Amino acid sequence: MRSYDPDLTPSWKRPPAPVPEVPAEPDLVVEEVGTGFCGAVIRCEAGTVTLEDRFGKHRVFPLAPRGFLLEGRPVTLVRPSSAAPVRPTRTASGSIAVPGARARVARAGRIYVEGRHDAELVERVWGDDLRVEGVVVEYLEGVDDLPAIVRDFAPGPDARLGVLVDHLVPGSKESRIAAQVTDAHTLVVGHPYIDIWEAVKPSAVGIPAWPAVPRGQDWKTGVCRALGWPENTGAAWRHILSRVRDWKDLEPELLGRVEELIDFVTAP
């Protein structure tokens, strides 16, 4: 015996089934139905929500019924019960955000990195944390002069010095220089990559892998050439940096070392 739907209205004439209403809380990741734009909620105001995708791009959308997908299912985003705008609860490094915190007066201690690109990447991901802790980051333009720089800085218990070095591997020139300056008040750590560019995950940049560059060839220029980019390393770096949204876009070999330096220079 057949069973029949008691509602004889054709399905195409029926109103759509209700969907859950979900508060647009900080960091909630949704996809906008009409455009396919996927991002995390960073702000929700009267009638609109602002999403940020993994490349740092912002888009504003209306809080339309059934306007978003959450884990593949349609939902209606609604404004959270709090009237205040939604703000991220974590910094780009993954630390708990401190809303309204003022930058601390700079400590005597410092963190040195090899070059401008290193400093810009550290600022992009750890900048909020460093300002709260009062840590200044400076760059060296290479490590050859590091022993003299450390001597002039004169690290001590109240002025610790942390140094981040590229390509710090056993037997390298960098490892020998690091050994000369490391002591109770100076910590030198490094990552295994030839250049800080490689510490950005290839997936974040949209490439399958960082290319191998033959020895004797300028590494950055070789990368641009292998990837078919214009041989303008400044423009290439701006493109790479623009793809870094937070700590998840960096390799763990860099993440751990920077966190270690921050802990070292801020220790009581």
Side-chain angles (χ1 to χ4, degrees), residues 4-247:
Y4 294 91
D5 187 337
D7 185 353
L8 300 181
T9 305
S11 60
W12 59 272
K13 286 188 175 181
R14 298 178 191 175
V19 300
E21 290 189 347
V22 177
E25 298 287 358
D27 300 329
L28 180 73
V29 177
V30 294
E31 178 182 342
E32 201 276 329
V33 171
T35 63
F37 185 91
C38 183
V41 173
I42 62 167
R43 186 177 301 105
C44 185
E45 298 169 319
T48 65
V49 62
T50 303
L51 304 183
E52 180 183 53
D53 72 6
R54 64 188 302 270
F55 304 120
K57 183 177 181 181
H58 292 187
R59 291 280 297 275
V60 180
F61 298 101
L63 294 174
R66 305 173 65 91
F68 301 86
L69 299 178
L70 176 62
E71 298 180 351
R73 298 179 181 276
V75 297
T76 296
L77 288 187
V78 296
R79 195 177 185 191
S81 55
S82 170
V86 175
R87 289 183 171 84
T89 57
R90 291 188 177 272
T91 67
S93 72
S95 301
I96 301 297
V98 185
R102 295 183 178 181
R104 177 174 173 164
V105 175
R107 295 173 182 264
R110 291 286 186 274
I111 291 177
Y112 284 164
V113 297
E114 276 209 55
R116 182 170 58 85
H117 293 179
D118 306 63
E120 289 174 347
L121 185 61
V122 169
E123 164 62 27
R124 188 171 190 87
V125 176
W126 287 275
D128 289 340
D129 308 61
L130 293 167
R131 279 181 284 280
V132 168
E133 295 289 352
V135 178
V136 174
V137 174
E138 301 181 18
Y139 63 91
L140 304 169
E141 291 291 5
V143 297
D144 291 346
D145 296 327
L146 184 58
I149 291 170
V150 172
R151 267 195 315 273
D152 291 344
F153 185 86
D158 298 321
R160 292 185 170 192
L161 180 62
V163 184
L164 179 69
V165 177
D166 295 342
H167 198 229
L168 188 62
V169 295
S172 66
K173 174 190 73 173
E174 290 82 2
S175 67
R176 292 190 292 273
I177 293 174
Q180 295 177 41
V181 301
T182 299
D183 61 24
H185 309 303
T186 305
L187 175 65
V188 181
V189 300
H191 55 76
Y193 306 111
I194 294 172
D195 189 272
I196 198 69
W197 291 17
E198 276 193 299
V200 179
K201 290 181 177 178
S203 57
V205 186
I207 59 177
W210 289 105
V213 177
R215 292 179 67 86
Q217 183 179 148
D218 178 73
W219 189 83
K220 292 175 181 176
T221 302
V223 165
C224 293
R225 192 172 297 150
L227 294 176
W229 295 351
E231 293 182 22
N232 180 331
T233 58
W237 172 243
R238 289 192 293 274
H239 168 71
I240 295 165
L241 187 62
S242 73
R243 298 299 189 99
V244 176
R245 188 180 70 172
D246 57 29
W247 65 272

Side-chain angles (χ1 to χ4, degrees), residues 245-260:
R245 188 180 70 172
D246 57 29
W247 65 272
K248 295 187 288 292
D249 293 323
L250 302 182
E251 298 288 359
E253 290 84 353
L254 175 67
L255 294 171
R257 302 295 73 75
V258 176
E259 297 287 352
E260 188 177 355

